[in-house]
Amino acid sequence: MPPKKRHSGMTQSREPKPSADSASSPDKLDSPELSEKKHREKHAEFVSLCKSLRVSDLVCDRAWDLWKTVQESMDKVPGSQQRLWGACLFVIITDMDIGSFTVTQVLKAVSLNLKQFLVVVRQLDVNLDTISLKVNSALTRLEKKYDVMLALYQRFEKTCKNIFVLTPDGKERETMRTCWTMFLLAKGRALQMEDDLVISFQLLLCTLELFIKRSSPDQLQPLYQSAISKVPSPPIRTSRRNQSKAKTRPSEPEVDAQLLETLCKDNECNVEEVKNVYQTSFLAFLESMDLSRSTDFPQVNDINQQYEEHYLKSRDIDGRLFFDADESILPPKVEISQVERTPKKNHPDEDGLMIPPQTPIRAAMTSIQMLRGDLPSNGDQPSTTLATYFKNCTVDPTQDVQKRLETLGQVFSQKFGEAVGPHCVVYGRERFVLGVRLYYKVMEAMLKSEEKRLSVQNFSKLLNESTFHTSLLACSLEVVMATYEESSFKNGSSDQTGTNLCFPWILNVLNLSAFDFYKVIESFIKAEPTLSKDIIKHLETCENLIMERIAWRTGSPLFELLRQEHASAAAEPVETTASFGQPLQHNHTAADLYLTPTRPGSRILPPDSPATPPQQPSTSQSTSQAPCQAPRQRKSNSLSLFYKKLYRLAYTRLKTLCSYLLSSHPELEPIIWTLFQYTLQHEYELMRDRHLDQLMMSAMYAICKVKSVDLRFKSIVSAYKNMTNTNQETFKNVLITEGHYDSIIVFYNQVFMQKLKTNILQHASTRPPPLSPIPQIPRSPYKLPNSPLRVPGSNNVYISPMKNSRMSPGIMTPRSKMLVSIGESFGLGNRFQKINQMVNSSERSHKRTMDQSSSIKPLKKLRFDVDGQDEADGSKPGGESTLIQKLTEMSSTWSRMHEQKMKEDPETKDDSQ
């Protein structure tokens, strides 16, 4: 039976951690040692494995029962039984929260590396109820922590080669080992979220700075010798280690500014942020180790012993094994090659700069550098232009804005510190300051756009709308945290698993409803053209999460809007199916969605000048209506747009699931969609505290049932697990009645079928209901201006918009052979000749050489659909949609040239006369 708890995804900071004794010794709740007499009926090798891992009799029994349950299905899985037994033991101790052994201990016992072990454990879920949500959450956290630690160690190895001189006796290796172990200990003590890549890397730089300062010059490379030689010894070196604490406390150790700047420059990291990490988290760690007043290297044995205690308490990965290249910790070779994602030169004779591999740390540092570079350095206050907008309002919002930011800033910083770790409140303030700068910048861009659209400068109503400001600030902070990898959906992370700060954490902190937050996302993206492709995708994922689940939680304003719509005297659908065949395009801005409930027909005007919807009578007529006649309910722009996007998201996911399961029954897809769409429109209460995909799977099962197609729920959820952005809680933990949760099958039988039985059976009758139109699915509602686009008919020639010269164009153009940024220095002229040769050789498809008797492909003709996207004949709809931007620019240039020519022609005629 699935767990009955509503929220089962536990974060590391909230999990009770056992003591070192309980982690290194058998469970004290049962017998201290395994009794072989009690387990004679079990396989001898299984019992031996249990003894080596020092588990209790209870754990041994439960793991054996689990093995017997899945044994028949697991016979098909390659690998020895011992590996599967180890996976069963891991599942049991995780569910029971018993510290019998660590992850590293079980990896060594079954001779697997971590990635292989995670695969084996997940394969145990053959019946889809074997692995609990608690175990799945632990697996996701473990994988994320491992990926972060691997990225950190790879950067550590590379950085140390630039710092230390290699000696024949390998003395520098011992220094590096102690440094790495000390960093692991500092990270474990300073951070509750040990999978925070950026802060962990900054801690690593702090540790390296400490070891470089305490190394002799002959151990260092020339760059770091010069970095510390000009800096006087900090005052801390003159203090005595056993100085009486009753006396005045000596000054804190000074950061070697020049050394730290060298380290940060070499690793593309912001030096001010690293200084803050040093003065807060790292200094507190040194104090706890009594190392801040010592000029010597830390004692190796002492560091090892303390890390051993931390490792046993966490029951986790022994990070020291990275340094030893241990087989249990080494990644598969294919993964190492995949880390280098950006292109390199294809031929050694090609001139130009080598593009460095885009490792996780470099990607994070680059994103942070771009974010900081795009924001004004003095943007903590409104700009002159924005301040003018505030003053032009009927009610000046300046004081309210400042008070709101002050209050929310304190709340955000405090909650950030609670989630990340002790002494981390200051990092929350840093993130908040960046968020405020982005908040002001985007607000100004939005207001300029509104002024251009409406020809007004008084936005008093919008700028005095608290929800608008909070939503815009929340979106800005979400962008900042996503840039710092603290709110990320990688590895399937969401609010159920992964890091504490993952969306919708920000909504809970700012006490903001998801439906209100959704209103600002699209306008935010359009107003901030410097957002990277990854950030745009992140915000789009946030929007999808809102539509499929978060906006449907009890207490959401979405339900009140729906109630008002359906209670209208002349009730109309929230969004008519007739619009499905039309592209998803609208002119709504954030101002429209926050201020007016009306659909197109009235536009935003200054205060005291409300627009009268054309379908409504005049003011005199409306006031003379009979008291008993209720005025017609005005439609909601925000609700209409929400449902437009919801329908398209729902059909996209249904189409994907059908492609997995019903490829031999294509006629069922429109029928399933009709039931699915009907449910969302007329039975929206079924979505309360549930997930969009739960209704989708139930609709699919229902239609297959009445159409006599053999499709079981087990097959549906097995295919569903292979879809992107899915979580097993969706089908294992479904709301049945208030406070009671069960599986998707129980939900279908007791809730879905009971509510929609009549409608379901209609599809089996001779007169089924009419089919709902299929929504037109765009490639993405947001254009990705940074995406490189291949020139049609060319051979590896890509075009990308001009980026700021401080960044390498190679970052924006993956896997292209040659890179050109018009307006920047390119290098030797022969590279242009190479590009010309490449383009000319593939300009026409009929000019291509016929290798291996390959047939000539027809030329692709572009046609423009109503959505403003280009579509190549024979290709998937929406393919290469961003090319329209380039074609529009070319068309605009041609139009200007044509107009200029037309102006010149009359002058030429006059001259001739």
Side-chain angles (χ1 to χ4, degrees):
M1 292 287 288
K4 300 300 188 292
K5 292 183 179 180
R6 179 176 174 183
H7 298 292
S8 56
M10 295 181 63
T11 54
Q12 184 182 5
S13 61
R14 296 180 181 177
E15 290 180 356
K17 295 185 178 180
S19 63
D21 292 335
S22 66
S24 58
S25 62
D27 179 34
K28 301 294 171 48
L29 299 177
D30 205 354
S31 56
E33 290 189 6
L34 201 68
S35 173
E36 294 187 14
K37 294 181 180 180
K38 294 183 179 180
H39 308 289
R40 290 177 179 175
E41 77 285 356
K42 301 180 179 66
H43 199 291
E45 292 184 9
F46 174 79
V47 178
S48 176
L49 176 63
C50 290
K51 289 191 69 176
S52 68
L53 294 174
R54 306 177 70 179
V55 303
S56 64
D57 290 325
L58 179 60
V59 172
C60 181
D61 287 337
R62 292 190 178 182
W64 184 255
D65 291 341
L66 175 59
W67 161 247
K68 299 299 288 183
T69 302
V70 301
Q71 181 179 11
E72 183 177 349
S73 301
M74 298 304 292
D75 286 341
K76 303 176 183 178
V77 177
S80 65
Q81 284 186 333
Q82 191 175 36
R83 296 177 175 182
L84 298 171
W85 291 336
C88 291
L89 287 167
F90 174 82
V91 169
I92 295 303
I93 70 158
T94 303
D95 266 330
M96 297 178 64
D97 200 20
I98 294 176
S100 301
F101 53 81
T102 68
V103 173
T104 294
Q105 288 169 349
V106 71
L107 292 178
K108 288 185 171 295
V110 299
S111 303
L112 284 175
N113 66 44
L114 182 69
K115 290 288 188 178
Q116 294 169 334
F117 183 72
L118 293 173
V119 172
V120 172
V121 174
R122 288 179 171 130
Q123 286 175 335
L124 290 177
D125 203 18
V126 290
N127 297 318
L128 305 174
D129 59 358
T130 307
I131 295 182
S132 67
L133 299 173
K134 183 177 181 180
V135 173
N136 187 65
S137 176
L139 291 175
T140 304
R141 181 199 61 82
L142 186 62
E143 185 172 21
K144 177 73 182 295
K145 184 176 179 180
Y146 169 81
D147 290 340
V148 168
M149 200 177 295
L150 174 62
L152 290 168
Y153 182 74
Q154 289 174 339
R155 176 53 70 94
F156 172 77
E157 279 277 9
K158 177 185 175 183
T159 304
C160 284
K161 290 179 182 178
N162 297 332
I163 295 174
F164 297 106
V165 175
L166 300 181
T167 57
D169 58 358
K171 184 179 179 181
E172 76 286 347
R173 293 291 296 176
E174 291 305 314
T175 302
M176 291 168 58
R177 180 189 296 275
T178 306
C179 180
W180 175 249
T181 306
M182 183 172 174
F183 158 69
L184 293 174
L185 181 60
K187 180 168 72 78
R189 289 191 178 179
L191 300 179
Q192 292 169 187
M193 281 173 42
E194 291 194 58
D195 54 4
D196 189 306
L197 178 65
V198 174
I199 299 179
S200 297
F201 179 57
Q202 292 167 343
L203 270 173
L204 177 59
L205 294 182
C206 293
T207 311
L208 284 168
E209 189 266 358
L210 180 74
F211 274 75
I212 294 172
K213 283 192 305 188
R214 299 182 180 185
S215 298
S216 59
D218 59 342
Q219 293 180 288
L220 303 175
Q221 298 283 2
L223 175 64
Y224 287 93
Q225 284 184 11
S226 60
I228 63 173
S229 60
K230 300 177 182 179
V231 179
S233 300
I236 190 63
R237 299 196 178 189
T238 60
S239 63
R240 297 182 180 180
R241 185 173 184 178
N242 297 323
Q243 185 177 3
S244 173
K245 295 184 179 180
K247 298 180 181 180
T248 304
R249 181 182 175 182
S251 60
E252 295 177 345
E254 294 180 358
V255 178
D256 191 327
Q258 184 174 335
L259 174 59
L260 201 62
E261 287 177 7
T262 303
L263 265 173
C264 292
K265 183 179 180 180
D266 199 25
N267 290 276
E268 304 167 283
C269 196
N270 183 274
V271 65
E272 293 302 322
E273 289 186 355
V274 180
K275 283 182 181 179
N276 283 337
V277 171
Y278 191 102
Q279 296 292 349
T280 52
S281 298
F282 191 65
L283 183 60
F285 165 73
L286 293 179
E287 291 285 354
S288 69
M289 297 285 293
D290 197 23
L291 291 173
S292 62
R293 295 171 176 81
S294 171
T295 58
D296 300 325
F297 278 113
Q299 293 295 320
V300 178
N301 293 337
D302 188 33
I303 295 293
N304 259 322
Q305 180 182 351
Q306 295 198 45
Y307 177 74
E308 181 80 12
E309 293 175 0
H310 169 77
Y311 151 67
L312 292 175
K313 283 182 180 180
S314 66
R315 294 174 284 156
D316 224 325
I317 310 167
D318 188 348
R320 294 170 297 186
L321 297 181
F322 281 101
F323 196 86
D324 298 322
D326 192 274
E327 292 183 355
S328 66
I329 216 76
L330 283 178
K333 292 183 179 180
V334 64
E335 288 199 5
I336 298 178
S337 63
Q338 287 175 351
V339 168
E340 301 184 0
R341 294 191 295 268
T342 50
K344 287 189 175 183
K345 292 190 299 183
N346 291 280
H347 303 288
D349 60 338
E350 290 185 6
D351 299 317
L353 230 48
M354 268 285 234
I355 301 172
Q358 186 77 330
T359 61
I361 290 179
R362 178 173 285 110
M365 296 301 106
T366 300
S367 298
I368 294 171
Q369 182 182 353
M370 290 179 66
L371 174 67
R372 285 182 164 273
D374 291 330
L375 296 178
S377 58
N378 58 345
D380 300 350
Q381 297 295 326
S383 67
T384 304
T385 303
L386 189 56
T388 303
Y389 279 121
F390 287 172
K391 292 178 182 178
N392 287 339
C393 293
T394 306
V395 178
D396 191 336
T398 303
Q399 290 187 356
D400 288 342
V401 168
Q402 292 175 347
K403 288 181 181 179
R404 186 182 300 107
L405 289 177
E406 182 179 352
T407 302
L408 295 181
Q410 293 176 354
V411 173
F412 177 86
S413 302
Q414 189 65 33
K415 294 294 183 181
F416 186 95
E418 291 174 4
V420 177
H423 310 290
C424 293
V425 173
V426 64
Y427 313 146
R429 294 196 194 100
E430 288 179 347
R431 307 293 189 269
F432 191 81
V433 168
L434 289 176
V436 169
R437 292 177 183 176
L438 184 58
Y439 158 80
Y440 280 140
K441 181 185 177 184
V442 174
M443 189 194 307
E444 181 177 330
M446 285 183 175
L447 294 177
K448 286 180 178 179
S449 177
E450 288 293 286
E451 180 182 1
K452 183 178 180 181
R453 184 173 72 101
L454 303 174
S455 300
V456 296
Q457 295 180 339
N458 186 347
F459 299 101
S460 184
K461 191 174 181 182
L462 176 65
L463 293 178
N464 283 280
E465 174 62 44
S466 175
T467 306
F468 164 72
H469 286 283
T470 306
S471 301
L472 184 57
L473 177 63
C475 197
S476 302
L477 291 171
E478 183 64 26
V479 167
V480 171
M481 290 191 296
T483 303
Y484 277 80
E485 299 278 343
E486 288 156 345
S487 178
S488 173
F489 300 110
K490 297 176 181 178
N491 294 329
S493 297
S494 68
D495 63 329
Q496 304 298 329
T497 58
T499 63
N500 300 23
L501 303 183
C502 196
F503 187 82
W505 178 84
I506 188 64
L507 302 185
N508 300 327
V509 169
L510 302 186
N511 194 25
L512 180 67
S513 77
F515 185 75
D516 287 326
F517 180 80
Y518 123 85
K519 299 175 186 178
V520 83
I521 294 177
E522 187 168 341
S523 294
F524 189 99
I525 293 173
K526 292 178 179 178
E528 182 52 42
T530 63
L531 293 178
S532 68
K533 177 180 177 181
D534 288 338
I535 294 298
I536 292 175
K537 286 186 175 180
H538 177 86
L539 291 177
E540 191 172 0
T541 303
C542 293
E543 185 180 66
N544 290 342
L545 285 174
I546 289 171
M547 290 189 292
E548 68 189 19
R549 174 170 52 87
I550 307 174
W552 298 98
R553 291 175 177 172
T554 297
S556 170
L558 174 61
F559 287 104
E560 178 60 23
L561 279 175
L562 285 168
R563 187 193 64 78
Q564 293 175 5
E565 290 279 341
H566 286 265
S568 174
E572 296 178 4
V574 175
E575 184 58 33
T576 61
T577 56
S579 65
F580 287 180
Q582 301 172 1
L584 181 60
Q585 52 182 249
H586 61 89
N587 297 319
H588 298 313
T589 63
D592 292 323
L593 301 182
Y594 283 100
L595 294 184
T596 174
T598 59
R599 285 183 178 168
S602 62
R603 65 177 200 168
I604 305 296
L605 293 179
D608 304 323
S609 301
T612 304
Q615 66 268 31
Q616 289 188 348
S618 64
T619 307
S620 59
Q621 291 173 331
S622 61
T623 54
S624 62
Q625 288 179 340
C628 60
Q629 183 179 0
R632 183 170 180 174
Q633 180 68 41
R634 298 198 301 175
K635 298 297 182 180
S636 168
N637 280 333
S638 58
L639 185 59
S640 174
L641 181 59
F642 181 86
Y643 256 79
K644 279 184 179 180
K645 292 187 175 184
L646 175 68
Y647 283 146
R648 284 161 174 78
L649 174 65
Y651 178 71
T652 301
R653 297 186 68 76
L654 175 63
K655 186 176 180 66
T656 302
L657 190 59
C658 286
S659 68
Y660 291 162
L661 296 168
L662 298 174
S663 57
S664 58
H665 298 278
E667 73 282 357
L668 294 184
E669 181 185 303
I671 303 175
I672 298 170
W673 166 243
T674 300
L675 176 61
F676 192 14
Q677 186 271 327
Y678 174 88
T679 307
L680 293 174
Q681 179 177 334
H682 298 285
E683 301 294 346
Y684 59 85
E685 276 292 334
L686 286 176
M687 280 293 298
R688 186 183 292 272
D689 295 324
R690 296 190 179 97
H691 195 290
L692 179 69
D693 293 345
Q694 293 164 356
L695 272 62
M696 174 185 69
M697 289 185 280
S698 298
M700 174 175 284
Y701 182 80
I703 295 301
C704 290
K705 193 80 171 175
V706 299
K707 293 296 184 180
S708 300
V709 174
D710 185 17
L711 183 64
R712 300 183 180 182
F713 252 121
K714 182 177 179 180
S715 301
I716 294 176
V717 296
S718 296
Y720 176 77
K721 287 170 64 177
N722 295 324
M723 293 174 60
T724 57
N725 299 323
T726 58
N727 191 297
Q728 66 169 337
E729 183 175 8
T730 305
F731 56 83
K732 287 188 176 183
N733 209 32
V734 189
L735 177 67
I736 308 302
T737 58
E738 186 177 355
H740 174 60
Y741 291 78
D742 215 309
S743 69
I744 184 72
I745 301 176
V746 177
F747 165 73
Y748 174 82
N749 289 327
Q750 296 186 10
V751 182
F752 188 87
M753 189 182 65
Q754 302 301 324
K755 192 75 173 177
L756 294 163
K757 187 173 183 179
T758 302
N759 190 272
I760 293 171
L761 292 177
Q762 286 178 353
H763 290 282
S765 66
T766 55
R767 299 183 63 183
L771 298 178
S772 296
I774 301 299
Q776 183 176 350
I777 307 300
R779 179 181 179 183
S780 170
Y782 309 116
K783 295 180 180 180
L784 304 178
N786 295 335
S787 300
L789 188 65
R790 183 176 60 83
V791 176
S794 67
N795 180 22
N796 287 322
V797 176
Y798 289 78
I799 55 175
S800 292
M802 180 74 169
K803 290 292 288 186
N804 198 318
S805 59
R806 68 178 182 277
M807 302 307 302
S808 168
I811 296 176
M812 304 176 293
T813 314
R815 303 190 184 283
S816 55
K817 287 187 176 180
M818 304 185 72
L819 306 169
V820 181
S821 181
I822 305 300
E824 293 184 355
S825 177
F826 181 56
L828 299 179
N830 62 350
R831 298 191 67 185
F832 281 109
Q833 296 176 2
K834 291 182 180 180
I835 290 181
N836 289 336
Q837 293 172 2
M838 214 165 27
V839 174
N840 291 334
S841 64
S842 57
E843 195 173 35
R844 299 289 183 207
S845 61
H846 65 268
K847 292 183 180 179
R848 297 174 185 168
T849 57
M850 300 175 61
D851 296 333
Q852 300 178 355
S853 302
S854 60
S855 60
I856 299 177
K857 297 182 180 180
L859 289 173
K860 292 183 178 180
K861 298 179 181 179
L862 295 178
R863 60 182 174 84
F864 299 96
D865 59 16
V866 292
D867 196 14
Q869 298 177 340
D870 60 283
E871 179 179 325
D873 290 346
S875 67
K876 295 181 180 180
E880 300 183 352
S881 61
T882 53
L883 184 60
I884 187 62
Q885 282 186 291
K886 295 299 170 186
L887 295 175
T888 302
E889 293 173 6
M890 294 168 61
S891 176
S892 176
T893 303
W894 182 88
S895 299
R896 290 196 301 269
M897 294 172 61
H898 181 69
E899 291 173 1
Q900 181 66 27
K901 180 175 176 59
M902 294 295 291
K903 291 178 181 179
E904 293 174 355
D905 285 343
E907 297 176 1
T908 306
K909 292 180 180 179
D910 292 339
D911 294 341
S912 62
Q913 291 176 355

